[in-house]
Amino acid sequence: MSEYRIASRYSKSLIDLAVEKNQLEDIKSDMELLSKVCKENREFVLMLNNPILESVKKAAIIRAVFKDKVQEMTSLFFDIVSRKHRESVLPEMAKVFKQLYNEHKGIITAEVTTTFKLDDSLRSEVIKIVKEISGKEVELNEKVDEALVGGFLIRVGDKQIDETIQSKLNDLKRELTHNQYIKQI
């Protein structure tokens, strides 16, 4: 079974239980902490993926890392994952949980790429544009790409708004070559 499918099943169960027990926000914070630990600590992820290290030892390390930092439900979830020998899928479970949480709350993730860091007014404007398009609450991920000549690029799911200068130049080039081709005919 693929890692994504495994992560989806476990994350779906966790989110359903969190909603049922009215602990969704707390569990979301715990999963964000897990994601942060995985991103910032390569050794932790390598430990999770180590096939030689026994699940009992992995579970002890996970408990030690997250002791007094996560809810009891999350701690029990980590124990179940360890008993099923699925520790290597924990980072993916954190990602999938975030996606499921956003779906549950009606939040859409958008990514904006610009040549500079957005200030508050521009950030608000981008969020407003995405809200109008999607009709949902927006979580904005910002990227700075100095290779862009200027303008911006917004991605929401599989849709894209490309208002970069490079895109405009490519459009102009296509139009000019198309017009030149038509004149030759």
Side-chain angles (χ1 to χ4, degrees), residues 87-99:
E87 304 90 355
S88 64
V89 189
L90 275 170
E92 186 69 17
M93 288 178 195
K95 288 179 196 172
V96 173
F97 184 90
K98 183 171 174 44
Q99 293 168 351

Side-chain angles (χ1 to χ4, degrees), residues 1-3 5-7 9-10 34 48-49 55 58 62 77-93:
M1 191 180 308
S2 77
E3 192 173 277
R5 286 183 67 191
I6 294 166
R9 288 182 177 181
Y10 278 84
L34 170 62
L48 294 174
N49 290 314
S55 285
K58 289 180 186 181
I62 293 168
F77 175 76
F78 291 160
D79 287 343
I80 291 169
V81 169
S82 293
R83 272 189 267 135
K84 298 291 185 177
H85 309 288
R86 301 290 195 189
E87 304 90 355
S88 64
V89 189
L90 275 170
E92 186 69 17
M93 288 178 195

Side-chain angles (χ1 to χ4, degrees), residues 6-22:
I6 294 166
S8 294
R9 288 182 177 181
Y10 278 84
S11 298
K12 176 82 170 97
S13 297
L14 181 60
I15 203 162
D16 288 347
L17 185 61
V19 168
E20 179 184 316
K21 298 288 184 182
N22 200 24

Side-chain angles (χ1 to χ4, degrees), residues 33-127:
L33 176 63
L34 170 62
S35 187
K36 181 179 179 193
V37 167
C38 291
K39 283 180 188 170
E40 294 176 357
N41 194 331
R42 184 172 183 265
E43 290 80 20
F44 182 75
V45 175
L46 290 174
M47 179 275 301
L48 294 174
N49 290 314
N50 187 337
I52 298 169
L53 195 59
E54 295 174 8
S55 285
V56 174
K57 291 182 180 178
K58 289 180 186 181
I61 293 169
I62 293 168
R63 261 187 244 106
V65 168
F66 293 101
K67 184 180 181 183
D68 299 328
K69 295 178 184 160
V70 297
Q71 301 294 313
E72 182 181 357
M73 184 188 303
T74 306
S75 186
L76 292 171
F77 175 76
F78 291 160
D79 287 343
I80 291 169
V81 169
S82 293
R83 272 189 267 135
K84 298 291 185 177
H85 309 288
R86 301 290 195 189
E87 304 90 355
S88 64
V89 189
L90 275 170
E92 186 69 17
M93 288 178 195
K95 288 179 196 172
V96 173
F97 184 90
K98 183 171 174 44
Q99 293 168 351
L100 293 172
Y101 174 86
N102 286 348
E103 280 178 30
H104 180 77
K105 291 290 193 172
I107 300 170
I108 193 164
T109 302
E111 181 180 280
V112 63
T113 307
T114 58
T115 58
F116 55 89
K117 190 169 171 26
L118 294 178
D119 63 15
D120 290 338
S121 66
L122 283 173
R123 187 174 299 110
S124 297
E125 192 64 32
V126 171
I127 289 172

